[in-house]
Amino acid sequence: MPGAGGLDRLREASRKHSLLIASLSTVVFIAILVAFFVTAPGAGRVQDAFFSPGDFADSASPVWDGFVINIELMLAAEAIVLVLALVIAVVRNLPGPASFPLRMLAIAYTDFFRGVPLILVVFIVGLGVPALGIGWLYTRNPFIYGLASLALVYSAYVAEVYRAGIESIHTSQVAAARSLGLTHGQSMRFVVVPQAVRRVIPPLLNDFIGLQKDTALVSLLGVLESARQAQSYAAVTFNFTGYTVAALYFVLLTIPLARLTDYLVERDRRKMRALGG
Amino acid sequence: MTGVPANGAALLLEDVHKHFGKNEVLRGIDLRVAPHEVVCLIGASGSGKSTLLKCVNLTEPVTAGRIFVEDEEITSPRIDPNRIRRHIGIVFQAFNLFPHMTVLRNITLAPRKVLGTPKAEAEAQARDLLARFGLADKAEEYPDRLSGGQQQRAAIVRALAMRPRLMLLDEVTSALDPELVGEVLGVIRELAESEMTMLIATHEMSFAREIANRVCFLDAGVILEEGPPEEIFSTPSNVRTQEFLHRIIAAGRL
C-alpha cells in the first residue's frame, strides 16, 4: 500500500495521463475534420469563396456595421420580451371566471406565435401591417417591423418559460401569502414571481441565444444588418467571405452568453444539491 | 344579517361539511371557541383537523354549514376573504416562509402591503416580536440559514405581526426534529399565557394536555368527544377516543 506521498504522486500521474489523452484526441479529431474538407473535390473553390483572407479584411468593417444593428435589435427585443412575456404568463394565471376571456387570449397568443415560423411573421408584419394604412402603425423604418416580429414571437416562447417557473412555485407559498391577507395580485408580485424569475433565468437566457441569431431574419425586410451587409458584399465582389465574417460575429457573441447560462445552471444544481443534502 | 347565534364566541362553527368530490372530510362539525380560549384538536391523520383549520382560514370553501368569527359570518358569499384572513393567523406544518426574503421582510411584508403600516414602524414591531421570541439576531438572515425550530418561530412571528384575533396552528411541530420541538412549544405556551385565542391541531398529546382549555377528538370528520384535557386524556368516554389514546400511549407519545 503506498503512503500518502505515493498516493499523491499516483493521482498527479493519473491527472497528467487524462490531460494527454484529451489533447491527443482533440488534435486527431481536428485533423480528421480538416482532412475531410481539404480533400473534398471543391475544397479550393470553397476556400476562395468563403475563406479568402483579402475579402475577410475588406468585408469585416461593413459587416460589423450591420452587426451593430443585430445587437441593437437583440437588446431592444429582449427588453420588450422580458416585460411582455411576463404579462402574458401572469394573465394566463389569473384566477376566477371573470378573467376567462383574458386567459383564453393569452393561450391563443402563445399557441399562435409559437406555431408560426418567424420568417413568416417577419413577412406578414413587415409587409402586411404597413399595407393596413393605419396611421399610428405605419413607419418607413423596417427596423421597427423586424423588432415587432421578434418581440411577438419570442414573447410567446418566454411566456411559457415564465409560466413553467410560476407553476413550479409550491402552492404552500401561495397559501402562506394568502393566509396573511395578501391578494392574488400581491401574492404573485411579492412571493411567486420573484422566486419564479430566479428559477427560469437559465432557460430564459437559452431563448435569448435563439433570439440573437434570429435577428438575421430581419434582413428580409431590407434592414441593413450583418447578413444583409454580407449579401451586398457578395453581390458586388462575387465572394461569400462576408457570410463567414457575419457567422463569426454571431458565434463570438453567443459564446459568452452560452457560458453564462452553463454557469447559472451549474450554480443552481449545486445549490439544489446543497439543500437536498 | 339573519340570525347571529355567535353571541361573543371568538369562533363558531355550525354544522360544517367539507367534501372533496365524493370524499367527505368534514361531516358536520359544531365547535365554539370562546375569546382567550385554547382549543386543541386531536385525532389520527386524515381525521379532518387540517381541513377544518383551512376552512376557518377560508383557504378551502365549506361545502355546507356556517362559520362565524366574532359575530360575523365569514362563510357568507358577500364576504371579502382577504379582509377575514388578515385577522386570522395561521401557522403551517412546513413553516412556508418565503425563501427569497430575509426573516425581517417575511414578517413585515403583510403589515406593509396589507395594512399599510409604514416601513419603519413595521420593522420596529417585527424586531420587537423577534426579540420576544429569541430571534433578535436572525432578522437579516434568509430562512434556509435557520434551523427548523427557528424557522417555525419566525413563521409564528410573521403571523403575529398582523395582530390576529385568532391563531390557527396546524401540526406546527410535526416537521421538526425532536430536540427542536420544545422551543416551538415554548412560544405557543407564551402565546397562551398572553391570552391569545388559539385553535391548535396537534399530535403532541402531553402538550395538548398542558396547554388546552378544551380538547376535541376528531374521527372521520366529526367531533366524537370534547371536554377538558384531564377528562379526555384520563377518562375518555367514547370507545374510539379510548382506542386512539391507547395507540398513542403504545407509541410512547403520551
Side-chain angles (χ1 to χ4, degrees), chain A residues 125-173:
Chain A
V125 171
L127 306 175
V129 173
L132 284 174
I134 300 171
W136 61 272
L137 277 176
Y138 183 80
T139 162
R140 282 179 168 280
N141 186 354
F143 180 95
I144 299 297
Y145 293 122
L147 175 61
S149 310
L150 285 167
L152 285 170
V153 168
Y154 273 88
S155 290
Y157 282 106
V158 173
E160 287 300 288
V161 170
Y162 276 134
R163 186 167 74 103
I166 288 171
E167 285 173 3
S168 78
I169 302 302
H170 199 268
T171 49
S172 64
Q173 287 286 305

mmCIF file of all heavy atoms in Angstrom, chain A residues 125-173:
data_model
loop_
_atom_site.group_PDB
_atom_site.id
_atom_site.type_symbol
_atom_site.label_atom_id
_atom_site.label_comp_id
_atom_site.label_asym_id
_atom_site.label_seq_id
_atom_site.Cartn_x
_atom_site.Cartn_y
_atom_site.Cartn_z
ATOM 1 N N VAL A 125 -45.819 40.756 -40.844
ATOM 2 C CA VAL A 125 -45.788 42.031 -40.128
ATOM 3 C C VAL A 125 -45.124 43.105 -40.994
ATOM 4 O O VAL A 125 -45.633 44.219 -41.137
ATOM 5 C CB VAL A 125 -45.039 41.891 -38.775
ATOM 6 C CG1 VAL A 125 -44.815 43.249 -38.132
ATOM 7 C CG2 VAL A 125 -45.832 40.987 -37.833
ATOM 8 N N GLY A 126 -44.020 42.751 -41.613
ATOM 9 C CA GLY A 126 -43.231 43.735 -42.351
ATOM 10 C C GLY A 126 -43.921 44.228 -43.613
ATOM 11 O O GLY A 126 -43.752 45.381 -44.006
ATOM 12 N N LEU A 127 -44.708 43.362 -44.260
ATOM 13 C CA LEU A 127 -45.364 43.769 -45.498
ATOM 14 C C LEU A 127 -46.851 44.041 -45.287
ATOM 15 O O LEU A 127 -47.440 44.891 -45.955
ATOM 16 C CB LEU A 127 -45.184 42.681 -46.567
ATOM 17 C CG LEU A 127 -43.725 42.275 -46.830
ATOM 18 C CD1 LEU A 127 -43.646 41.125 -47.813
ATOM 19 C CD2 LEU A 127 -42.920 43.467 -47.330
ATOM 20 N N GLY A 128 -47.445 43.308 -44.334
ATOM 21 C CA GLY A 128 -48.890 43.418 -44.142
ATOM 22 C C GLY A 128 -49.298 44.624 -43.316
ATOM 23 O O GLY A 128 -50.220 45.362 -43.687
ATOM 24 N N VAL A 129 -48.605 44.850 -42.220
ATOM 25 C CA VAL A 129 -49.021 45.932 -41.318
ATOM 26 C C VAL A 129 -48.954 47.307 -41.984
ATOM 27 O O VAL A 129 -49.909 48.089 -41.889
ATOM 28 C CB VAL A 129 -48.211 45.900 -39.994
ATOM 29 C CG1 VAL A 129 -48.519 47.123 -39.143
ATOM 30 C CG2 VAL A 129 -48.521 44.627 -39.213
ATOM 31 N N PRO A 130 -47.860 47.626 -42.712
ATOM 32 C CA PRO A 130 -47.852 48.942 -43.376
ATOM 33 C C PRO A 130 -48.987 49.075 -44.386
ATOM 34 O O PRO A 130 -49.522 50.167 -44.581
ATOM 35 C CB PRO A 130 -46.491 49.001 -44.069
ATOM 36 C CG PRO A 130 -45.785 47.735 -43.793
ATOM 37 C CD PRO A 130 -46.587 46.906 -42.883
ATOM 38 N N ALA A 131 -49.369 47.938 -45.023
ATOM 39 C CA ALA A 131 -50.428 47.970 -46.031
ATOM 40 C C ALA A 131 -51.798 48.252 -45.421
ATOM 41 O O ALA A 131 -52.724 48.638 -46.129
ATOM 42 C CB ALA A 131 -50.452 46.655 -46.803
ATOM 43 N N LEU A 132 -51.923 48.052 -44.113
ATOM 44 C CA LEU A 132 -53.211 48.304 -43.456
ATOM 45 C C LEU A 132 -53.616 49.769 -43.576
ATOM 46 O O LEU A 132 -54.790 50.103 -43.545
ATOM 47 C CB LEU A 132 -53.132 47.940 -41.964
ATOM 48 C CG LEU A 132 -53.165 46.456 -41.610
ATOM 49 C CD1 LEU A 132 -52.925 46.272 -40.118
ATOM 50 C CD2 LEU A 132 -54.497 45.833 -41.999
ATOM 51 N N GLY A 133 -52.625 50.638 -43.679
ATOM 52 C CA GLY A 133 -52.909 52.057 -43.808
ATOM 53 C C GLY A 133 -53.371 52.707 -42.511
ATOM 54 O O GLY A 133 -54.038 53.732 -42.529
ATOM 55 N N ILE A 134 -53.043 52.094 -41.380
ATOM 56 C CA ILE A 134 -53.374 52.719 -40.090
ATOM 57 C C ILE A 134 -52.221 53.642 -39.712
ATOM 58 O O ILE A 134 -51.067 53.195 -39.618
ATOM 59 C CB ILE A 134 -53.586 51.645 -39.002
ATOM 60 C CG1 ILE A 134 -54.742 50.725 -39.400
ATOM 61 C CG2 ILE A 134 -53.853 52.310 -37.643
ATOM 62 C CD1 ILE A 134 -54.892 49.517 -38.510
ATOM 63 N N GLY A 135 -52.543 54.896 -39.516
ATOM 64 C CA GLY A 135 -51.520 55.912 -39.327
ATOM 65 C C GLY A 135 -50.501 55.571 -38.256
ATOM 66 O O GLY A 135 -49.290 55.557 -38.517
ATOM 67 N N TRP A 136 -50.972 55.257 -37.069
ATOM 68 C CA TRP A 136 -50.023 55.094 -35.970
ATOM 69 C C TRP A 136 -49.260 53.779 -36.062
ATOM 70 O O TRP A 136 -48.286 53.573 -35.362
ATOM 71 C CB TRP A 136 -50.716 55.226 -34.608
ATOM 72 C CG TRP A 136 -51.790 54.215 -34.351
ATOM 73 C CD1 TRP A 136 -53.097 54.312 -34.688
ATOM 74 C CD2 TRP A 136 -51.642 52.956 -33.694
ATOM 75 N NE1 TRP A 136 -53.774 53.199 -34.302
ATOM 76 C CE2 TRP A 136 -52.905 52.349 -33.676
ATOM 77 C CE3 TRP A 136 -50.562 52.284 -33.101
ATOM 78 C CZ2 TRP A 136 -53.140 51.096 -33.124
ATOM 79 C CZ3 TRP A 136 -50.791 51.039 -32.537
ATOM 80 C CH2 TRP A 136 -52.070 50.447 -32.549
ATOM 81 N N LEU A 137 -49.689 52.872 -36.944
ATOM 82 C CA LEU A 137 -48.955 51.622 -37.114
ATOM 83 C C LEU A 137 -47.979 51.709 -38.285
ATOM 84 O O LEU A 137 -47.281 50.766 -38.599
ATOM 85 C CB LEU A 137 -49.930 50.463 -37.364
ATOM 86 C CG LEU A 137 -50.565 49.835 -36.128
ATOM 87 C CD1 LEU A 137 -51.572 48.772 -36.523
ATOM 88 C CD2 LEU A 137 -49.505 49.240 -35.213
ATOM 89 N N TYR A 138 -47.973 52.878 -38.973
ATOM 90 C CA TYR A 138 -47.159 52.972 -40.165
ATOM 91 C C TYR A 138 -45.823 53.644 -39.883
ATOM 92 O O TYR A 138 -45.743 54.643 -39.192
ATOM 93 C CB TYR A 138 -47.899 53.763 -41.254
ATOM 94 C CG TYR A 138 -47.110 53.806 -42.529
ATOM 95 C CD1 TYR A 138 -47.120 52.716 -43.395
ATOM 96 C CD2 TYR A 138 -46.330 54.908 -42.839
ATOM 97 C CE1 TYR A 138 -46.369 52.724 -44.542
ATOM 98 C CE2 TYR A 138 -45.564 54.928 -43.997
ATOM 99 C CZ TYR A 138 -45.591 53.830 -44.848
ATOM 100 O OH TYR A 138 -44.839 53.841 -45.990
ATOM 101 N N THR A 139 -44.778 53.041 -40.422
ATOM 102 C CA THR A 139 -43.464 53.668 -40.364
ATOM 103 C C THR A 139 -42.692 53.249 -41.599
ATOM 104 O O THR A 139 -42.910 52.172 -42.151
ATOM 105 C CB THR A 139 -42.691 53.264 -39.093
ATOM 106 O OG1 THR A 139 -41.314 53.561 -39.298
ATOM 107 C CG2 THR A 139 -42.820 51.790 -38.787
ATOM 108 N N ARG A 140 -41.798 54.096 -42.024
ATOM 109 C CA ARG A 140 -40.968 53.736 -43.175
ATOM 110 C C ARG A 140 -39.781 52.894 -42.733
ATOM 111 O O ARG A 140 -38.998 52.431 -43.552
ATOM 112 C CB ARG A 140 -40.441 55.017 -43.843
ATOM 113 C CG ARG A 140 -41.478 55.698 -44.693
ATOM 114 C CD ARG A 140 -40.877 56.965 -45.305
ATOM 115 N NE ARG A 140 -41.771 57.470 -46.336
ATOM 116 C CZ ARG A 140 -41.815 56.970 -47.555
ATOM 117 N NH1 ARG A 140 -41.023 55.987 -47.914
ATOM 118 N NH2 ARG A 140 -42.657 57.474 -48.443
ATOM 119 N N ASN A 141 -39.600 52.769 -41.451
ATOM 120 C CA ASN A 141 -38.407 52.119 -40.923
ATOM 121 C C ASN A 141 -38.645 50.615 -40.741
ATOM 122 O O ASN A 141 -39.356 50.211 -39.827
ATOM 123 C CB ASN A 141 -38.037 52.768 -39.585
ATOM 124 C CG ASN A 141 -36.715 52.246 -39.056
ATOM 125 O OD1 ASN A 141 -36.130 51.324 -39.633
ATOM 126 N ND2 ASN A 141 -36.252 52.833 -37.976
ATOM 127 N N PRO A 142 -38.051 49.762 -41.577
ATOM 128 C CA PRO A 142 -38.287 48.318 -41.472
ATOM 129 C C PRO A 142 -37.742 47.737 -40.164
ATOM 130 O O PRO A 142 -38.172 46.667 -39.729
ATOM 131 C CB PRO A 142 -37.554 47.737 -42.681
ATOM 132 C CG PRO A 142 -36.546 48.768 -43.067
ATOM 133 C CD PRO A 142 -37.125 50.092 -42.674
ATOM 134 N N PHE A 143 -36.797 48.448 -39.563
ATOM 135 C CA PHE A 143 -36.245 48.007 -38.262
ATOM 136 C C PHE A 143 -37.371 47.773 -37.255
ATOM 137 O O PHE A 143 -37.390 46.797 -36.528
ATOM 138 C CB PHE A 143 -35.279 49.089 -37.752
ATOM 139 C CG PHE A 143 -34.623 48.770 -36.426
ATOM 140 C CD1 PHE A 143 -33.367 48.182 -36.383
ATOM 141 C CD2 PHE A 143 -35.262 49.082 -35.225
ATOM 142 C CE1 PHE A 143 -32.760 47.901 -35.164
ATOM 143 C CE2 PHE A 143 -34.657 48.800 -34.006
ATOM 144 C CZ PHE A 143 -33.406 48.213 -33.982
ATOM 145 N N ILE A 144 -38.336 48.718 -37.253
ATOM 146 C CA ILE A 144 -39.433 48.638 -36.279
ATOM 147 C C ILE A 144 -40.275 47.381 -36.515
ATOM 148 O O ILE A 144 -40.619 46.668 -35.576
ATOM 149 C CB ILE A 144 -40.326 49.895 -36.386
ATOM 150 C CG1 ILE A 144 -39.518 51.157 -36.079
ATOM 151 C CG2 ILE A 144 -41.536 49.797 -35.441
ATOM 152 C CD1 ILE A 144 -38.971 51.230 -34.670
ATOM 153 N N TYR A 145 -40.580 47.095 -37.792
ATOM 154 C CA TYR A 145 -41.389 45.906 -38.079
ATOM 155 C C TYR A 145 -40.622 44.628 -37.736
ATOM 156 O O TYR A 145 -41.197 43.660 -37.251
ATOM 157 C CB TYR A 145 -41.808 45.891 -39.552
ATOM 158 C CG TYR A 145 -42.765 47.015 -39.882
ATOM 159 C CD1 TYR A 145 -42.466 47.945 -40.860
ATOM 160 C CD2 TYR A 145 -43.967 47.129 -39.179
ATOM 161 C CE1 TYR A 145 -43.339 48.980 -41.152
ATOM 162 C CE2 TYR A 145 -44.840 48.164 -39.460
ATOM 163 C CZ TYR A 145 -44.528 49.090 -40.448
ATOM 164 O OH TYR A 145 -45.386 50.100 -40.711
ATOM 165 N N GLY A 146 -39.307 44.651 -38.012
ATOM 166 C CA GLY A 146 -38.491 43.496 -37.653
ATOM 167 C C GLY A 146 -38.468 43.291 -36.155
ATOM 168 O O GLY A 146 -38.648 42.175 -35.656
ATOM 169 N N LEU A 147 -38.283 44.387 -35.442
ATOM 170 C CA LEU A 147 -38.265 44.331 -33.979
ATOM 171 C C LEU A 147 -39.594 43.802 -33.449
ATOM 172 O O LEU A 147 -39.635 42.931 -32.565
ATOM 173 C CB LEU A 147 -37.990 45.735 -33.425
ATOM 174 C CG LEU A 147 -38.039 45.908 -31.909
ATOM 175 C CD1 LEU A 147 -36.988 45.042 -31.241
ATOM 176 C CD2 LEU A 147 -37.820 47.368 -31.534
ATOM 177 N N ALA A 148 -40.698 44.297 -34.027
ATOM 178 C CA ALA A 148 -42.026 43.861 -33.589
ATOM 179 C C ALA A 148 -42.190 42.359 -33.819
ATOM 180 O O ALA A 148 -42.695 41.644 -32.947
ATOM 181 C CB ALA A 148 -43.110 44.635 -34.327
ATOM 182 N N SER A 149 -41.722 41.872 -34.966
ATOM 183 C CA SER A 149 -41.847 40.437 -35.262
ATOM 184 C C SER A 149 -41.097 39.606 -34.236
ATOM 185 O O SER A 149 -41.617 38.618 -33.703
ATOM 186 C CB SER A 149 -41.292 40.126 -36.651
ATOM 187 O OG SER A 149 -41.825 41.007 -37.605
ATOM 188 N N LEU A 150 -39.856 39.996 -33.972
ATOM 189 C CA LEU A 150 -39.048 39.265 -32.994
ATOM 190 C C LEU A 150 -39.715 39.282 -31.623
ATOM 191 O O LEU A 150 -39.799 38.262 -30.939
ATOM 192 C CB LEU A 150 -37.655 39.898 -32.886
ATOM 193 C CG LEU A 150 -36.690 39.630 -34.044
ATOM 194 C CD1 LEU A 150 -35.491 40.556 -33.945
ATOM 195 C CD2 LEU A 150 -36.230 38.176 -34.036
ATOM 196 N N ALA A 151 -40.200 40.451 -31.214
ATOM 197 C CA ALA A 151 -40.809 40.585 -29.893
ATOM 198 C C ALA A 151 -42.077 39.735 -29.799
ATOM 199 O O ALA A 151 -42.308 39.054 -28.791
ATOM 200 C CB ALA A 151 -41.120 42.051 -29.599
ATOM 201 N N LEU A 152 -42.891 39.737 -30.863
ATOM 202 C CA LEU A 152 -44.133 38.964 -30.845
ATOM 203 C C LEU A 152 -43.850 37.469 -30.676
ATOM 204 O O LEU A 152 -44.450 36.798 -29.841
ATOM 205 C CB LEU A 152 -44.913 39.187 -32.154
ATOM 206 C CG LEU A 152 -45.634 40.527 -32.289
ATOM 207 C CD1 LEU A 152 -46.145 40.704 -33.713
ATOM 208 C CD2 LEU A 152 -46.789 40.609 -31.296
ATOM 209 N N VAL A 153 -42.912 36.960 -31.485
ATOM 210 C CA VAL A 153 -42.652 35.517 -31.468
ATOM 211 C C VAL A 153 -41.951 35.100 -30.178
ATOM 212 O O VAL A 153 -42.361 34.143 -29.510
ATOM 213 C CB VAL A 153 -41.820 35.107 -32.694
ATOM 214 C CG1 VAL A 153 -41.301 33.677 -32.544
ATOM 215 C CG2 VAL A 153 -42.662 35.241 -33.952
ATOM 216 N N TYR A 154 -40.917 35.845 -29.807
ATOM 217 C CA TYR A 154 -40.159 35.414 -28.633
ATOM 218 C C TYR A 154 -40.914 35.647 -27.325
ATOM 219 O O TYR A 154 -40.681 34.949 -26.343
ATOM 220 C CB TYR A 154 -38.760 36.036 -28.632
ATOM 221 C CG TYR A 154 -37.813 35.164 -29.429
ATOM 222 C CD1 TYR A 154 -37.670 35.344 -30.791
ATOM 223 C CD2 TYR A 154 -37.167 34.105 -28.818
ATOM 224 C CE1 TYR A 154 -36.862 34.510 -31.532
ATOM 225 C CE2 TYR A 154 -36.356 33.253 -29.546
ATOM 226 C CZ TYR A 154 -36.197 33.462 -30.905
ATOM 227 O OH TYR A 154 -35.407 32.614 -31.633
ATOM 228 N N SER A 155 -41.833 36.591 -27.303
ATOM 229 C CA SER A 155 -42.653 36.757 -26.095
ATOM 230 C C SER A 155 -43.477 35.502 -25.846
ATOM 231 O O SER A 155 -43.700 35.113 -24.699
ATOM 232 C CB SER A 155 -43.586 37.957 -26.247
ATOM 233 O OG SER A 155 -42.834 39.141 -26.216
ATOM 234 N N ALA A 156 -43.920 34.851 -26.922
ATOM 235 C CA ALA A 156 -44.699 33.623 -26.759
ATOM 236 C C ALA A 156 -43.840 32.527 -26.130
ATOM 237 O O ALA A 156 -44.282 31.842 -25.203
ATOM 238 C CB ALA A 156 -45.249 33.165 -28.106
ATOM 239 N N TYR A 157 -42.605 32.385 -26.610
ATOM 240 C CA TYR A 157 -41.715 31.367 -26.024
ATOM 241 C C TYR A 157 -41.406 31.680 -24.570
ATOM 242 O O TYR A 157 -41.494 30.830 -23.691
ATOM 243 C CB TYR A 157 -40.390 31.308 -26.796
ATOM 244 C CG TYR A 157 -40.473 30.568 -28.095
ATOM 245 C CD1 TYR A 157 -40.465 31.241 -29.311
ATOM 246 C CD2 TYR A 157 -40.552 29.177 -28.106
ATOM 247 C CE1 TYR A 157 -40.534 30.559 -30.507
ATOM 248 C CE2 TYR A 157 -40.625 28.489 -29.296
ATOM 249 C CZ TYR A 157 -40.622 29.184 -30.502
ATOM 250 O OH TYR A 157 -40.698 28.513 -31.670
ATOM 251 N N VAL A 158 -41.003 32.923 -24.344
ATOM 252 C CA VAL A 158 -40.549 33.280 -22.994
ATOM 253 C C VAL A 158 -41.723 33.273 -22.009
ATOM 254 O O VAL A 158 -41.550 32.956 -20.837
ATOM 255 C CB VAL A 158 -39.793 34.630 -23.018
ATOM 256 C CG1 VAL A 158 -39.456 35.098 -21.621
ATOM 257 C CG2 VAL A 158 -38.525 34.501 -23.854
ATOM 258 N N ALA A 159 -42.940 33.571 -22.495
ATOM 259 C CA ALA A 159 -44.114 33.489 -21.622
ATOM 260 C C ALA A 159 -44.272 32.067 -21.080
ATOM 261 O O ALA A 159 -44.606 31.870 -19.910
ATOM 262 C CB ALA A 159 -45.377 33.909 -22.369
ATOM 263 N N GLU A 160 -44.005 31.092 -21.937
ATOM 264 C CA GLU A 160 -44.099 29.699 -21.495
ATOM 265 C C GLU A 160 -43.011 29.380 -20.472
ATOM 266 O O GLU A 160 -43.236 28.612 -19.532
ATOM 267 C CB GLU A 160 -43.988 28.756 -22.695
ATOM 268 C CG GLU A 160 -45.233 28.747 -23.556
ATOM 269 C CD GLU A 160 -46.462 28.308 -22.764
ATOM 270 O OE1 GLU A 160 -46.574 27.120 -22.440
ATOM 271 O OE2 GLU A 160 -47.296 29.169 -22.465
ATOM 272 N N VAL A 161 -41.837 29.968 -20.668
ATOM 273 C CA VAL A 161 -40.763 29.760 -19.698
ATOM 274 C C VAL A 161 -41.164 30.342 -18.341
ATOM 275 O O VAL A 161 -41.046 29.694 -17.305
ATOM 276 C CB VAL A 161 -39.448 30.408 -20.196
ATOM 277 C CG1 VAL A 161 -38.395 30.412 -19.099
ATOM 278 C CG2 VAL A 161 -38.928 29.677 -21.418
ATOM 279 N N TYR A 162 -41.687 31.572 -18.370
ATOM 280 C CA TYR A 162 -42.151 32.196 -17.124
ATOM 281 C C TYR A 162 -43.246 31.351 -16.477
ATOM 282 O O TYR A 162 -43.282 31.156 -15.264
ATOM 283 C CB TYR A 162 -42.749 33.576 -17.414
ATOM 284 C CG TYR A 162 -41.750 34.720 -17.507
ATOM 285 C CD1 TYR A 162 -41.823 35.629 -18.547
ATOM 286 C CD2 TYR A 162 -40.786 34.924 -16.524
ATOM 287 C CE1 TYR A 162 -40.956 36.699 -18.647
ATOM 288 C CE2 TYR A 162 -39.912 35.986 -16.606
ATOM 289 C CZ TYR A 162 -39.997 36.872 -17.667
ATOM 290 O OH TYR A 162 -39.140 37.929 -17.743
ATOM 291 N N ARG A 163 -44.181 30.880 -17.319
ATOM 292 C CA ARG A 163 -45.316 30.127 -16.782
ATOM 293 C C ARG A 163 -44.814 28.869 -16.073
ATOM 294 O O ARG A 163 -45.289 28.529 -14.980
ATOM 295 C CB ARG A 163 -46.294 29.748 -17.895
ATOM 296 C CG ARG A 163 -47.545 29.093 -17.371
ATOM 297 C CD ARG A 163 -48.601 29.015 -18.440
ATOM 298 N NE ARG A 163 -48.289 28.002 -19.431
ATOM 299 C CZ ARG A 163 -48.876 26.810 -19.471
ATOM 300 N NH1 ARG A 163 -49.781 26.490 -18.582
ATOM 301 N NH2 ARG A 163 -48.551 25.941 -20.398
ATOM 302 N N ALA A 164 -43.861 28.181 -16.709
ATOM 303 C CA ALA A 164 -43.299 26.989 -16.072
ATOM 304 C C ALA A 164 -42.705 27.368 -14.719
ATOM 305 O O ALA A 164 -42.880 26.650 -13.724
ATOM 306 C CB ALA A 164 -42.232 26.370 -16.966
ATOM 307 N N GLY A 165 -42.035 28.519 -14.658
ATOM 308 C CA GLY A 165 -41.449 28.966 -13.400
ATOM 309 C C GLY A 165 -42.517 29.263 -12.359
ATOM 310 O O GLY A 165 -42.417 28.846 -11.207
ATOM 311 N N ILE A 166 -43.557 29.953 -12.768
ATOM 312 C CA ILE A 166 -44.635 30.315 -11.849
ATOM 313 C C ILE A 166 -45.306 29.050 -11.307
ATOM 314 O O ILE A 166 -45.558 28.923 -10.109
ATOM 315 C CB ILE A 166 -45.667 31.217 -12.558
ATOM 316 C CG1 ILE A 166 -45.068 32.615 -12.779
ATOM 317 C CG2 ILE A 166 -46.970 31.305 -11.759
ATOM 318 C CD1 ILE A 166 -45.908 33.516 -13.664
ATOM 319 N N GLU A 167 -45.528 28.090 -12.200
ATOM 320 C CA GLU A 167 -46.208 26.873 -11.760
ATOM 321 C C GLU A 167 -45.304 25.973 -10.927
ATOM 322 O O GLU A 167 -45.789 25.067 -10.258
ATOM 323 C CB GLU A 167 -46.767 26.129 -12.975
ATOM 324 C CG GLU A 167 -48.005 26.844 -13.503
ATOM 325 C CD GLU A 167 -48.525 26.277 -14.808
ATOM 326 O OE1 GLU A 167 -47.967 25.279 -15.295
ATOM 327 O OE2 GLU A 167 -49.505 26.844 -15.323
ATOM 328 N N SER A 168 -43.973 26.223 -10.990
ATOM 329 C CA SER A 168 -43.069 25.395 -10.199
ATOM 330 C C SER A 168 -42.993 25.860 -8.747
ATOM 331 O O SER A 168 -42.433 25.162 -7.906
ATOM 332 C CB SER A 168 -41.668 25.407 -10.816
ATOM 333 O OG SER A 168 -40.998 26.616 -10.487
ATOM 334 N N ILE A 169 -43.536 27.029 -8.463
ATOM 335 C CA ILE A 169 -43.511 27.510 -7.071
ATOM 336 C C ILE A 169 -44.603 26.779 -6.301
ATOM 337 O O ILE A 169 -45.773 26.770 -6.703
ATOM 338 C CB ILE A 169 -43.743 29.033 -7.003
ATOM 339 C CG1 ILE A 169 -42.682 29.779 -7.821
ATOM 340 C CG2 ILE A 169 -43.735 29.525 -5.557
ATOM 341 C CD1 ILE A 169 -41.255 29.533 -7.402
ATOM 342 N N HIS A 170 -44.214 26.149 -5.205
ATOM 343 C CA HIS A 170 -45.137 25.279 -4.478
ATOM 344 C C HIS A 170 -46.363 26.051 -3.975
ATOM 345 O O HIS A 170 -46.246 27.206 -3.562
ATOM 346 C CB HIS A 170 -44.408 24.648 -3.294
ATOM 347 C CG HIS A 170 -45.101 23.431 -2.775
ATOM 348 N ND1 HIS A 170 -46.025 23.488 -1.765
ATOM 349 C CD2 HIS A 170 -45.038 22.136 -3.156
ATOM 350 C CE1 HIS A 170 -46.489 22.266 -1.544
ATOM 351 N NE2 HIS A 170 -45.901 21.429 -2.366
ATOM 352 N N THR A 171 -47.512 25.403 -4.020
ATOM 353 C CA THR A 171 -48.757 26.065 -3.633
ATOM 354 C C THR A 171 -48.722 26.517 -2.168
ATOM 355 O O THR A 171 -49.451 27.432 -1.796
ATOM 356 C CB THR A 171 -49.965 25.129 -3.808
ATOM 357 O OG1 THR A 171 -49.647 23.881 -3.198
ATOM 358 C CG2 THR A 171 -50.282 24.905 -5.269
ATOM 359 N N SER A 172 -47.864 25.891 -1.358
ATOM 360 C CA SER A 172 -47.803 26.295 0.049
ATOM 361 C C SER A 172 -47.308 27.741 0.181
ATOM 362 O O SER A 172 -47.634 28.422 1.152
ATOM 363 C CB SER A 172 -46.893 25.350 0.831
ATOM 364 O OG SER A 172 -45.572 25.443 0.349
ATOM 365 N N GLN A 173 -46.522 28.197 -0.794
ATOM 366 C CA GLN A 173 -46.069 29.594 -0.777
ATOM 367 C C GLN A 173 -47.249 30.541 -0.981
ATOM 368 O O GLN A 173 -47.364 31.568 -0.318
ATOM 369 C CB GLN A 173 -45.013 29.814 -1.869
ATOM 370 C CG GLN A 173 -43.680 29.186 -1.541
ATOM 371 C CD GLN A 173 -42.932 29.959 -0.475
ATOM 372 O OE1 GLN A 173 -42.694 31.142 -0.606
ATOM 373 N NE2 GLN A 173 -42.583 29.290 0.605
#
